[in-house]
Amino acid sequence: MEHTSTLERVLRGIALSLIVLFFMFPLFWIFLMSFQTNETILRIPPSLFFEPTLGNYKALITGKLDTAAGSLDIAFMKNLWNSVLLSTSAVVLSLILGVPAAYAFARHKFRGSEDIAFTLLSFRFAPPLLVLLPLTIYFQQLGLADTYVGLIWVYQLICLPLILWIVRGYFEDISADVEYAYRIAGHGWFATFRKIALPLAGPGIAAAGLLAFIFAWNNFVFALVLASADKQPVTVAALAFVTASGIQYGQIAAGIVLSITPTLAIALYAQRYLVEGLSLGAVKG
Amino acid sequence: MSHLSLARVDKFYGRVDHGVHAVQNVSMDIEKGEIVALLGSSGCGKTSTLRMIAGFEEASRGTIALAGREVHTLPPVRRNVAMAFEGYSLYPPLTVRQNIAFALKSAKLGKTEVDARVAEVAQLLEIEDILDRYPSSISGGQQQRASLGRALIREADLHLLDEPMGQLEPQLRAVLRGRIKHFVKERGYTAILVTHDQTEANALADRIAVMEGGVLQQFGTPSMIKERPANLFTGTFVGEPPMNVFTARVAGDDGRIVLELPEGVTLAYPAGAFTDDVRRTIRAKGDIVIGIRPYSVRRAESGVEATVAVNQWLGDQTHIAADFAGGIIVLVEHDRTVLEPGRTIAVEIDPAALHIFDAATGIALAHGMELA
Ligand SMILES: Nc1ncnc2c1ncn2[C@@H]1O[C@H](COP(=O)(O)OP(=O)(O)OP(=O)(O)O)[C@@H](O)[C@H]1O
Ligand SMILES: [Mg+2]
């Protein structure tokens, strides 16, 4: 046991509170904003006391945005659905492609394997805008522009390297002999992959999948350029709140709350796996 | 044809002919039902050899045949080999019981049969009380026995046991040794056992293979290895305490053989102490290395002088180390001998106990009276 003095505990408590405050305050403020009208939000000085309204959420859910300049149609729920669809499909595809690939990179060192793995990672280094222009032209020629398939494909640039590199690390941490012990008992490599490697790397795969999901969810620029309004995710849709009659802070706040809810829910649910995943290294081979 | 046959097997880690040459041109034939111990210093290629037989490492060159089939190109699944791993390699999410039983999965046995066999092996290895624990919550020695159980429970053509008892205390090791030998022999299994413990090798194995630097030095029965070491390495590696070794020049005339050791020490024997062949061979060589086991060195009234350096009572025998011919000679006595350091003693070396090696190559020339 480590012994800490009272003073140390108090100081630590204060430090932790400050950090939590610093990171949570914007979220908390946005949460409050989402229940306010633009008038109360823009009031000077700002106040914690106001009459809460569900108007922002109602506008988002019904798709009718009433501004001073008149009524405006927004497709926020559609965009939210697009986000879910795009991110989920992209992550699922990335897992299907990336996990076996990560296994191969971890277990079978062949000439150039390191180079290939690095090339895949390097997709993450390139600024997306650099590839977007040529990509747009290709996509238009291939008929992939403004399709879900095209977007999911481009999202692989975000998800695949992430999953590949994280999961590969987890596979490498599993002692190869554990797998050999299974193979020697009369099981083929695929059964070994499925029954031994996958379950052991499970928490790592979950962690990588979650991280990839968050990255995909937060992506902005690919969808902005490659998709039209009805295929765009929430990140792009938030632009619609910048209207002719001003910025709809209340709705933006409500939109943010709605759009972080799915990732937050998944993160909370997967927390257990994340912790497990991060402590996988402690597993003795 | 032998049950297991390794023919000119090489292992390179990395590129062939360029990488680490871990196993060098090893050929070995093992009969069905034999237990073979693989003995050698750390890093000499024992595990690499086992892994090639099991199929986890590709043999860079050479062929491996098991039970009448060439197996070196087959995947591990199809070789029908069981193995206890040096690093245990238990499957973490399963209990010890499941770990042991899962080795039987592919044998498609009924549940009662599986349970009975797990119980049998667990009793053999004294791990009944930890069967329902997880690998992460048991000790290293218990993990090792679980891993050994997982190998022994299978009916395979060959059992490879990589240091299966290294973590256990001597008493338990001695008990298990006997039981495992009985278990393996009773079922007619063939086994290769890697060990650092010479007592274990002697007690368990029908034959011992001594390896060093990736090269198979000698492969023979325990007594053969002990009494007729093929070269200087085997001679000094096997046997506890190690063999005393001195360089010598062969001199003398027709009636006598004189071995001139460093620092003017000479051992003189009548020519009749050696056979004609031995005499001729060592005379022709001139420079030789002689080896004498500590148990064969005697103190005598008159003999060659040595000065006691260290005197150790080990509880059941005394090891005396004495300065002799520019080196140290160790002798063993079964009584508690008190010889204070600095005292001069006289030692006598029986020519019949001499192992004679070629000074240049280390290859054995003669053991006692006989040519090697
Ligand atoms: N995967 C590998 N890559 C490169 N070199 C290796 C590899 N595995 C083993 N070696 C080298 O091959 C040689 C033989 O190793 P091996 O594991 O067979 O030794 P060992 O006899 O089993 O030793 P120990 O008694 O310590 O277990 C060593 O020099 C080792 O460093
Ligand atoms: Mg080894």
Side-chain angles (χ1 to χ4, degrees):
Chain A
M1 274 311 288
E2 94 187 84
H3 295 278
T4 48
S5 68
T6 322
L7 179 71
E8 212 177 316
R9 269 207 300 276
V10 170
L11 287 179
R12 190 178 294 176
I14 293 173
L16 284 177
S17 313
L18 283 176
I19 292 169
V20 169
L21 205 66
F22 182 79
F23 283 106
M24 293 306 285
F25 184 75
L27 283 178
F28 173 70
W29 198 248
I30 282 170
F31 186 72
L32 288 185
M33 271 165 69
S34 72
F35 292 103
Q36 299 177 47
T37 59
N38 244 11
E39 291 82 70
T40 47
I41 291 170
L42 296 174
R43 184 174 52 180
I44 305 253
S47 161
L48 274 178
F49 303 100
F50 57 89
E51 217 171 288
T53 163
L54 286 175
N56 295 323
Y57 289 98
K58 212 173 105 205
L60 290 180
I61 290 165
T62 58
K64 284 266 178 288
L65 188 58
D66 294 311
T67 66
S71 177
L72 194 68
D73 276 340
I74 48 162
F76 185 79
M77 294 317 279
K78 169 81 176 162
N79 294 126
L80 195 59
W81 166 244
N82 282 344
S83 273
V84 173
L85 183 76
L86 289 173
S87 306
T88 313
S89 318
V91 170
V92 169
L93 183 64
S94 279
L95 287 174
I96 292 172
L97 296 174
V99 172
Y103 185 69
F105 280 126
R107 282 286 177 263
H108 305 283
K109 304 279 183 233
F110 48 92
R111 190 191 295 259
S113 65
E114 215 52 45
D115 300 325
I116 297 173
F118 187 78
T119 308
L120 284 168
L121 181 70
S122 70
F123 291 158
R124 298 278 314 148
F125 307 155
L129 283 172
L130 200 72
V131 289
L132 259 175
L133 187 65
L135 212 57
T136 318
I137 298 169
Y138 284 141
F139 268 39
Q140 271 159 2
Q141 285 169 355
L142 292 169
L144 284 171
D146 196 22
T147 59
Y148 286 124
V149 175
L151 278 177
I152 290 168
W153 187 345
V154 178
Y155 273 34
Q156 298 310 308
L157 280 178
I158 308 165
C159 301
L160 201 52
L162 210 64
I163 286 181
L164 196 72
W165 275 79
I166 297 179
V167 174
R168 177 189 170 176
Y170 283 94
F171 280 135
E172 278 172 350
D173 277 352
I174 303 171
S175 141
D177 283 350
V178 177
E179 291 177 22
Y180 287 143
Y182 194 69
R183 292 188 63 179
I184 206 179
H187 304 88
W189 73 264
F190 187 71
T192 313
F193 172 65
R194 218 164 47 92
K195 293 274 182 53
I196 306 289
L198 274 189
L200 282 181
I205 294 171
L210 179 69
L211 216 57
F213 184 85
I214 293 172
F215 272 75
W217 186 274
N218 287 346
N219 182 260
F220 175 76
V221 74
F222 284 138
L224 177 71
V225 176
L226 289 174
S228 65
D230 68 322
K231 304 274 177 356
Q232 279 168 345
V234 277
T235 42
V236 181
L239 284 181
F241 299 115
V242 184
T243 65
S245 62
I247 300 170
Q248 305 299 315
Y249 290 107
Q251 270 112 17
I252 291 184
I256 290 171
V257 171
L258 283 183
S259 65
I260 62 172
T261 311
T263 27
L264 193 66
I266 295 179
L268 285 179
Y269 170 75
Q271 202 179 26
R272 197 162 54 88
Y273 297 105
L274 282 177
V275 174
E276 231 179 89
L278 295 174
S279 57
L280 184 80
V283 170
K284 281 190 240 160
Chain B
M1 193 177 162
S2 306
H3 187 63
L4 172 71
S5 165
L6 274 67
R8 312 182 68 82
V9 172
D10 270 299
K11 177 68 203 175
F12 289 92
Y13 288 104
R15 271 168 54 218
V16 174
D17 287 328
H18 291 274
V20 181
H21 201 176
V23 175
Q24 305 181 11
N25 201 15
V26 166
S27 297
M28 226 186 313
D29 287 301
I30 296 176
E31 302 308 323
K32 189 161 174 50
E34 250 188 324
I35 302 180
V36 169
L38 210 50
L39 208 58
S41 51
S42 180
C44 72
K46 304 180 293 292
T47 301
S48 302
T49 307
L50 293 200
R51 293 174 77 89
M52 281 191 287
I53 298 172
F56 307 144
E57 295 289 352
E58 198 184 353
S60 309
R61 271 199 289 261
T63 58
I64 302 172
L66 174 61
R69 303 176 302 155
E70 294 241 317
V71 294
H72 59 281
T73 49
L74 297 181
V77 207
R78 303 203 11 232
R79 298 197 184 188
N80 197 20
V81 168
M83 180 157 175
F85 289 81
E86 193 173 6
Y88 324 142
S89 297
L90 296 171
Y91 186 40
L94 298 186
T95 61
V96 171
R97 183 194 301 283
Q98 290 165 330
N99 261 290
I100 295 175
F102 105 147
L104 288 176
K105 273 253 176 67
S106 60
K108 309 235 177 340
L109 300 173
K111 191 177 174 324
T112 42
E113 170 77 11
V114 171
D115 287 348
R117 286 179 50 182
V118 172
E120 183 189 13
V121 169
Q123 191 181 18
L124 178 92
L125 299 171
E126 305 199 351
I127 48 172
E128 294 132 299
D129 51 336
I130 52 154
L131 276 180
D132 293 310
R133 305 252 293 271
Y134 286 90
S136 55
S137 71
I138 58 178
S139 76
Q142 291 168 330
Q143 290 184 35
Q144 190 166 48
R145 280 176 282 160
S147 157
L148 178 56
R150 192 170 66 179
L152 287 181
I153 200 167
R154 284 189 50 209
E155 280 165 11
D157 285 333
L158 180 65
H159 288 74
L160 302 172
L161 312 175
D162 201 345
E163 299 183 32
M165 290 185 275
Q167 290 285 326
L168 308 179
E169 74 275 10
Q171 295 86 331
L172 182 58
R173 223 190 280 189
V175 174
L176 293 192
R177 219 149 50 204
R179 291 192 196 159
I180 290 169
K181 180 159 188 172
H182 180 73
F183 184 90
V184 169
K185 288 287 174 195
E186 194 179 54
R187 285 162 179 74
Y189 291 164
T190 311
I192 303 182
L193 161 99
V194 171
T195 176
H196 287 286
D197 181 346
Q198 297 183 15
T199 324
E200 191 168 295
N202 285 321
L204 266 171
D206 300 305
R207 282 195 289 168
I208 296 177
V210 181
M211 270 184 96
E212 178 59 15
V215 179
L216 182 63
Q217 305 287 336
Q218 190 171 6
F219 184 32
T221 59
S223 61
M224 209 169 122
I225 300 264
K226 189 87 184 258
E227 288 154 22
R228 308 182 59 83
N231 55 32
L232 200 50
F233 176 80
T234 316
T236 49
F237 187 76
V238 179
E240 184 52 42
M243 181 188 270
N244 298 299
V245 176
F246 301 94
T247 55
R249 264 204 73 80
V250 185
D253 44 43
D254 279 348
R256 290 189 326 156
I257 289 273
V258 178
L259 302 178
E260 294 172 345
L261 275 54
E263 303 205 335
V265 176
T266 55
L267 300 171
Y269 300 106
F274 300 97
T275 59
D276 291 349
D277 288 340
V278 173
R279 226 164 33 222
R280 211 172 304 125
T281 310
I282 62 175
R283 277 228 164 94
K285 282 285 172 202
D287 283 312
I288 57 168
V289 173
I290 58 166
I292 318 105
R293 299 236 177 249
Y295 291 95
S296 307
V297 183
R298 307 233 177 290
R299 272 197 295 145
E301 298 290 303
S302 65
V304 193
E305 283 188 358
T307 315
V308 176
V310 184
N311 185 4
Q312 258 183 325
W313 169 243
L314 297 182
D316 57 350
Q317 48 184 239
T318 310
H319 287 189
I320 301 160
D323 293 320
F324 178 81
I328 296 276
I329 193 166
V330 176
L331 52 148
V332 173
E333 298 194 348
H334 290 278
D335 314 319
R336 181 160 197 170
T337 322
V338 183
L339 288 170
E340 55 287 353
R343 206 178 120 173
T344 303
I345 52 171
V347 295
E348 191 180 71
I349 294 164
D350 181 359
L354 275 184
H355 298 276
I356 301 174
F357 303 95
D358 186 330
T361 61
I363 292 171
L365 300 173
H367 302 291
M369 312 289 276
E370 294 169 57
L371 275 187

